[in-house]
Amino acid sequence: MARLCQAFLLVGVYLLGLCGAQEAITSIECPLPGNPSTVTEEDCGLYTACVWDGDLSVCHMADNREAGYVFGTTPVDTGRGTVSTLVKSDSSVTMFGGDIEEVRLEVIHHEDHHLQIKLTDAFNARYEVPLDVTIPTEAGTDPDFEVSLGEAGQPVVINVTRRSNGNEIFRQIGPITFEDQFIQFTVRLPSEYLYGFGENVHPTLVHSFEPRVTYPIFTRDREVSASEAPVNHYGAFPYYMNVEDDEGNTHSVLFLNSNSIEYSTFTLPDGTPALTLRSIGGIIDLHIFTGPTPEMATMQYSTFVGKPLFPPYWSLGFQLSRWGYNSSDGVRAVRQRMSDAGIPQDVQFIDGDYMEVYHVWTYDKTNYSDLPQLVDELHDDDLHLVLIVDPGIAVNTSSYSTYEAGRQQQVFLKWMTPDLVPEDQPEEADDFMLGNVWPFERVAFPDFLMDNAKRWWSEEIAAFYESIHFDGLWIDMNEIANFDTSLGVENRLMCPVNRYDDPPYPSLAASVPVNFINKLADKTLCMSGSSADGLQTYMQYNVHSLYGHSEAIATSQALENVFPGKRPYVLTRSSYVGTGHYSFHWLGDNFATWEDMKASIIGVLEFNMFGIPMIGPDICGFYGHPTEELCTRWMEVGAFYPFSRNHNGMGEEDQDPASWPSVAEVSRNVLLTRYRYLPYLYALFHRAHMNGNSVARALFNVFPSDLDARLVDDQFMWGDGLMIAPVLTEGATSRSVYFPEAIWYAVDTEIAEVVGPATVEVDAPLEKIPLYFRGGSILPFQEPSNTTAASRLNDFGLLVALDEDLTASGEVFWDDGEMEHTMEETFLASVLYAEDELTVTGMFDRTAADGVNLGSVRVLGFPAAPAAVTVNGGDVDTFVYDDASQVLVVTVNLPLNEDLNIVFS
């Protein structure tokens, strides 16, 4: 066909369009089961939807007119979009069979920035993700987008453009494949600046297109390593962001599907970037958010799936953990070591070794016999305790009330049909699907979609709290993780042979490295399990990737009952779209390597896109023992992860920051810097909770029209005001920092060091992490202490970093730090500096900031010593100006909740 196109190149516009499509089709890969490294013409010939190109030696999808759909009807206006019927072009052309012959295409206009494109079976109900989302009752009146579709008889092409400039936002090319157990479609992208998708370890923040790379999305218990091949990890986020043009116009797209998914990035023959998405079930449900800035797209997406949980103030402090304290005295020892070193800390974790033989909601009466007293000691020091919880419940009716109560209420996941229950199933296990994790016994797994399972879970948590007064819960192993699935080990789970455990296209998740059985069930449960929410019964094949999400909801609701009126603390390993509304997340079991430290920044930035801003890795690494230098550098950057926790594994040497005197000193200083600016971080989290903002931001997020910033993934921002540029290379004592367009003030000296855009080599000896205030920002701060409780009693301050126009702006948010509030019960103040005048204007409940003293205002970049300063109309002499640094400090000592006016003359 390519040669035909060349021969008839001048026939006309229609043929040119057709030829372009034909040229593109050779790049749309025909995926074969097992992900073979080499595909032959014989392999390709097994599938009628595949075409072998002998010139290129590639197996590609057949043309849209053969393998795709045509419009069966011309789209009909519904008042909120259109609806049309798509008809399979040729029923004999298929990948794996089971094609949906007639598809209903709905184009739905929600808000002006939110468009939904939904393809379903026209006659039969199919699985759809049971996710709580926010959709307005009425459509917007001035949409950012235009949608172009074909008429009856034409091949299906869906094209969405931006009304303001004509940019393509979503351009489907090639055939749409919609089979019972295989879905595929391809999108031509407006630019190569593609971000998102997860949970995977990506080598760079921006995706690559040459050579083609394909990643799986399917929740799985798999340690994370920066050196690994593309594999799937703990969470599932089929969501991407694309910066379209040089001006920074940005859109994002959510593929709302929870089956096993793949995404493949590649280039078309003309060099245009393209993206193929595949799933092995469900429907095509696309939600397009038009931004037009990266931050606005994040806010629009988060508003739809659920805005982030507002963390309690204490959770922003430093957190310490390890698997293997082995006793309450082991915890005491590390706590004393941290205290002696003067290192700030607010949260102490204890991993699974506190349990009695790993039975959930128990504690070891030998090694942790005085755990209740230990909790009191931690609370006396203003520390908070977080305990790990696994979902696997030991099948034990003789002495384990948690299982007995769960069995009585039938709260556990079951087999799809009774005939699948293994012959050796213990009688006391009923028809539950059993697995094996940490307990000696076999385990059953709660079905957290069920209301009665949520009630049972809440009752168990409340009962355990009567014994151990924990402050938060850490839910682990919830992908679901299982040991030895289908390995033929006695008394271990064996999956049956059927179309769900052995689908015709098992997807890349079944053939990634270290998948021992080449099935989706590797290290998890069988796909032929069932789950129910009271309205429908679901198969694990469909809802597997929702397990951690549903457990996070159940745990969050339970903690709201245990701590009435307080914000819950839930930390989950597995997550899905919308989990950030209920839980925090950490990046999982990483390695103590320089490469993993760098990769963690990419993970933190991606999860801020995904709507989970309370995110961070295991500082200093979970596996292996870091060098002093590595742990020092990791503690430096770790002090600026939104979720800041040092954690490592059983059998590893201690790596808490007090383990080495040199690491302790640096950690103390850098954490005190974190604590100093916690009021700013807290205000960012409040914005995230109220509006869906991100907290840690990529440079391209803040400077979307800066082409150089789009490639930076070893620096990041807190909001728009503070840039972090960590050292990520062994032995380095300096690093190259990219400064976008702004004045940048060094945090340690408060001097304007760089006017961007510029790339500058900056000094960074081992004890220093380069940090910069962005000109134009006002950051609230507080004199730091070693806990947030003590810090909150100290003086407030305002740091004003002037831009080139001698202006700046910011805000202060304050409340009691842990209770749920309406805005009317909190204190919020806007802060503005312009024309030599600083104004602080408070609103809502000023009593929420009673007793808080505003001690000082620090103005950076003040051009010359002022002749006079007036505070609220009265002259003052409590100011100091430094000519060398151009820093002006005004001591005010006034209540934070009173309006303030300072005039400089």
Side-chain angles (χ1 to χ4, degrees):
M1 183 65 187
R3 287 189 291 271
L4 276 175
C5 284
Q6 293 169 5
F8 293 96
L9 190 60
L10 301 178
V11 169
V13 174
Y14 174 78
L15 186 56
L16 279 172
L18 175 62
C19 290
Q22 289 302 311
E23 294 287 358
I25 202 70
T26 62
S27 295
I28 301 179
E29 184 180 49
C30 203
L32 303 188
N35 189 35
S37 57
T38 302
V39 177
T40 66
E41 182 176 3
E42 182 180 4
D43 297 330
C44 190
L46 297 175
Y47 307 92
T48 55
C50 300
V51 175
W52 179 258
D53 187 309
D55 293 341
L56 300 175
S57 295
V58 298
C59 182
H60 63 80
M61 294 297 297
D63 175 63
N64 200 3
R65 296 164 302 172
E66 301 169 5
Y69 288 83
V70 297
F71 282 98
T73 61
T74 298
V76 176
D77 192 327
T78 63
R80 192 163 171 164
T82 63
V83 62
S84 50
T85 300
L86 315 181
V87 179
K88 178 73 173 151
S89 299
D90 186 340
S91 297
S92 68
V93 179
T94 185
M95 282 298 302
F96 306 103
D99 292 80
I100 309 302
E101 293 295 330
E102 288 194 26
V103 172
R104 176 183 173 89
L105 167 62
E106 294 179 86
V107 176
I108 308 169
H109 173 192
H110 293 305
E111 293 158 292
D112 289 337
H113 54 256
H114 179 189
L115 174 70
Q116 182 179 9
I117 299 173
K118 185 176 182 180
L119 286 78
T120 60
D121 189 322
F123 300 108
N124 301 296
R126 290 180 61 81
Y127 165 71
E128 298 185 28
V129 181
L131 187 71
D132 287 335
V133 295
T134 300
I135 293 177
T137 56
E138 296 183 5
T141 58
D142 188 23
D144 296 341
F145 48 81
E146 290 184 352
V147 183
S148 300
L149 302 172
E151 298 183 351
Q154 294 181 343
V156 172
V157 175
I158 302 170
N159 189 29
V160 182
T161 56
R162 186 178 296 280
R163 288 179 62 193
S164 62
N165 58 15
N167 281 1
E168 279 188 359
I169 292 177
F170 184 91
R171 171 68 183 214
Q172 167 249 325
I173 60 173
I176 294 175
T177 305
F178 198 157
E179 299 172 1
D180 185 36
Q181 290 186 270
F182 182 75
I183 289 171
Q184 176 175 282
F185 59 95
T186 297
V187 181
R188 185 174 70 195
L189 298 173
S191 86
E192 69 275 19
Y193 298 112
L194 177 70
Y195 307 89
F197 288 122
E199 186 171 0
N200 311 104
V201 178
H202 296 125
T204 55
L205 182 63
V206 65
H207 285 275
S208 62
F209 294 87
E210 288 284 357
R212 180 194 305 269
V213 61
T214 304
Y215 283 87
I217 299 177
F218 187 69
T219 62
R220 185 169 187 253
D221 172 15
R222 169 64 185 262
E223 68 274 4
V224 295
S225 170
S227 61
E228 66 191 359
V231 299
N232 48 309
H233 289 294
Y234 309 105
F237 292 88
Y239 172 75
Y240 70 84
M241 183 178 290
N242 195 199
V243 184
E244 304 154 16
D245 54 25
D246 288 356
E247 288 70 39
N249 286 292
T250 301
H251 69 272
S252 65
V253 179
L254 170 64
F255 177 28
L256 188 53
N257 185 292
S258 64
N259 292 83
S260 185
I261 292 172
E262 299 171 7
Y263 59 97
S264 183
T265 53
F266 59 98
T267 55
L268 302 176
D270 65 357
T272 301
L275 168 69
T276 292
L277 283 160
R278 305 184 187 103
S279 175
I280 62 172
I283 65 171
I284 300 176
D285 190 4
L286 301 168
H287 294 265
I288 300 172
F289 306 96
T290 57
T293 66
E295 186 66 8
M296 292 178 70
T298 297
M299 294 163 65
Q300 293 156 8
Y301 155 83
S302 292
T303 298
F304 174 62
V305 303
K307 297 169 189 171
L309 178 70
F310 191 20
Y313 199 93
W314 55 263
S315 70
L316 302 185
F318 180 63
Q319 313 191 27
L320 186 61
S321 177
R322 74 157 297 148
W323 182 21
Y325 288 125
N326 298 323
S327 70
S328 49
D329 282 344
V331 178
R332 288 188 177 95
V334 72
R335 171 61 199 141
Q336 189 62 52
R337 189 160 64 230
M338 290 284 290
S339 179
D340 291 345
I343 300 173
Q345 182 186 353
D346 265 86
V347 182
Q348 180 63 57
F349 280 73
I350 306 180
D351 209 317
D353 49 288
Y354 79 88
M355 299 180 198
E356 183 73 38
V357 293
Y358 288 102
H359 284 192
V360 179
W361 312 129
T362 70
Y363 68 95
D364 182 346
K365 300 304 192 298
T366 301
N367 295 315
Y368 285 91
S369 60
D370 60 346
L371 183 56
Q373 290 73 37
L374 173 62
V375 178
D376 291 340
E377 294 167 21
L378 293 173
H379 287 167
D380 288 344
D381 286 344
D382 289 327
L383 266 66
H384 298 78
L385 176 67
V386 177
L387 295 175
I388 198 169
V389 180
D390 293 338
I393 305 299
V395 177
N396 182 328
T397 58
S398 63
S399 60
Y400 189 28
S401 62
T402 294
Y403 177 72
E404 293 178 39
R407 182 192 182 195
Q408 182 178 5
Q409 299 178 53
Q410 294 289 293
V411 303
F412 300 111
L413 295 172
K414 299 185 176 185
W415 288 95
M416 177 176 60
T417 56
D419 61 291
L420 295 178
V421 178
E423 293 181 0
D424 64 349
Q425 179 97 330
E427 182 179 349
E428 64 270 22
D430 299 337
D431 57 348
F432 308 142
M433 183 180 287
L434 302 186
N436 298 84
V437 281
W438 301 117
F440 299 125
E441 306 96 330
R442 301 175 77 176
V443 300
F445 297 90
D447 180 358
F448 290 111
L449 290 178
M450 298 172 61
D451 285 341
N452 63 326
K454 294 176 185 176
R455 285 192 296 271
W456 162 82
W457 191 245
S458 183
E459 290 164 0
E460 293 295 322
I461 290 174
F464 188 61
Y465 182 75
E466 293 300 313
S467 300
I468 305 297
H469 291 164
F470 55 82
D471 300 285
L473 292 175
W474 167 22
I475 51 178
D476 194 20
M477 303 287 286
N478 54 354
E479 293 75 27
I480 303 168
N482 188 56
F483 300 158
D484 303 325
T485 305
S486 288
L487 290 179
V489 180
E490 186 178 1
N491 292 323
R492 295 294 192 266
L493 178 63
M494 289 292 297
C495 295
V497 176
N498 56 47
R499 63 192 294 259
Y500 301 110
D501 286 292
D502 301 277
Y505 183 75
S507 79
L508 183 59
S511 56
V512 294
V514 201
N515 185 313
F516 296 107
I517 59 176
N518 291 326
K519 295 178 183 289
L520 292 174
D522 183 61
K523 296 189 72 176
T524 188
L525 301 186
C526 305
M527 299 298 102
S528 46
S530 71
S531 180
D533 65 359
L535 299 175
Q536 295 187 57
T537 298
Y538 303 101
M539 297 187 56
Q540 280 297 303
Y541 181 83
N542 293 321
V543 300
H544 163 86
S545 290
L546 299 180
Y547 192 82
H549 176 76
S550 63
E551 187 188 11
I553 295 174
T555 307
S556 178
Q557 292 172 348
L559 291 183
E560 288 174 354
N561 294 329
V562 171
F563 304 108
K566 290 187 177 182
R567 301 171 219 160
Y569 181 112
V570 182
L571 177 69
T572 183
R573 190 169 76 175
S574 185
S575 54
Y576 184 74
V577 171
T579 302
H581 189 62
Y582 308 96
S583 178
F584 317 140
H585 175 56
W586 92 104
L587 294 172
D589 300 342
N590 57 358
F591 289 80
T593 68
W594 291 88
E595 295 77 14
D596 278 43
M597 177 170 60
K598 180 182 185 302
S600 71
I601 296 175
I602 297 171
V604 165
L605 296 176
E606 288 177 338
F607 270 91
N608 271 266
M609 293 182 209
F610 299 156
I612 308 183
M614 188 63 162
I615 179 69
D618 288 341
I619 296 172
C620 297
F622 181 80
Y623 292 110
H625 188 61
T627 63
E628 288 187 45
E629 181 191 6
L630 173 58
C631 201
T632 298
R633 290 301 194 188
W634 212 328
M635 282 298 301
E636 287 176 346
V637 64
F640 297 95
Y641 297 138
F643 172 71
S644 180
R645 183 186 72 157
N646 181 308
H647 176 58
N648 67 329
M650 180 71 80
E652 305 292 353
E653 297 178 39
D654 287 336
Q655 65 177 39
D656 57 89
S659 297
W660 303 272
S662 62
V663 179
E665 181 178 1
V666 173
S667 299
R668 178 175 59 255
N669 294 334
V670 73
L671 285 171
L672 286 172
T673 300
R674 175 190 178 90
Y675 277 54
R676 181 178 179 85
Y677 294 103
L678 283 186
Y680 175 62
L681 183 63
Y682 192 56
L684 293 175
F685 271 108
H686 175 251
R687 282 281 169 186
H689 176 64
M690 296 298 293
N691 303 319
N693 292 80
S694 61
V695 171
R697 297 174 188 167
L699 265 61
F700 85 86
N701 181 304
V702 183
F703 304 93
S705 63
D706 186 328
L707 300 186
D708 292 324
R710 297 181 190 179
L711 303 179
V712 176
D713 54 20
D714 61 353
Q715 303 167 214
F716 61 99
M717 303 279 294
W718 272 11
D720 291 349
L722 176 65
M723 184 167 70
I724 298 96
V727 174
L728 305 170
T729 304
E730 185 174 11
T733 56
S734 66
R735 65 152 293 170
S736 176
V737 177
Y738 179 68
F739 295 89
E741 185 175 4
I743 298 174
W744 296 94
Y745 299 86
V747 169
D748 56 350
T749 65
E750 300 183 334
I751 295 173
E753 288 203 352
V754 179
V755 177
T759 299
V760 178
E761 188 75 16
V762 303
D763 289 335
L766 185 58
E767 68 276 6
K768 177 181 177 180
I769 177 172
L771 304 170
Y772 300 92
F773 300 120
R774 178 193 180 193
S777 306
I778 298 178
L779 281 68
F781 66 89
Q782 202 164 24
E783 296 304 322
S785 295
N786 280 0
T787 64
T788 56
S791 294
R792 285 175 60 90
L793 301 176
N794 296 338
D795 280 357
F796 244 81
L798 295 174
L799 184 136
V800 181
L802 298 179
D803 64 13
E804 62 276 10
D805 297 320
L806 302 182
T807 65
S809 62
E811 70 177 20
V812 175
F813 174 81
W814 204 244
D815 62 5
D816 63 15
E818 62 177 359
M819 302 300 290
E820 293 281 6
H821 294 295
T822 64
M823 277 304 300
E824 288 71 24
E825 299 170 319
T826 66
F827 175 69
L828 181 70
S830 65
V831 189
L832 179 66
Y833 185 100
E835 298 180 349
D836 299 323
E837 184 174 5
L838 177 76
T839 58
V840 180
T841 307
M843 60 191 81
F844 304 119
D845 185 5
R846 295 177 185 270
T847 65
D850 275 351
V852 181
N853 183 61
L854 178 61
S856 64
V857 174
R858 307 181 68 85
V859 185
L860 313 190
F862 201 85
V869 175
T870 64
V871 176
N872 291 339
D875 290 337
V876 298
D877 59 4
T878 55
F879 64 90
V880 177
Y881 181 75
D882 184 87
D883 288 295
S885 64
Q886 293 192 316
V887 175
L888 173 64
V889 180
V890 182
T891 301
V892 291
N893 285 322
L894 292 171
L896 178 67
N897 55 8
E898 292 184 2
D899 288 352
L900 176 67
N901 176 265
I902 304 179
V903 177
F904 306 92
S905 57

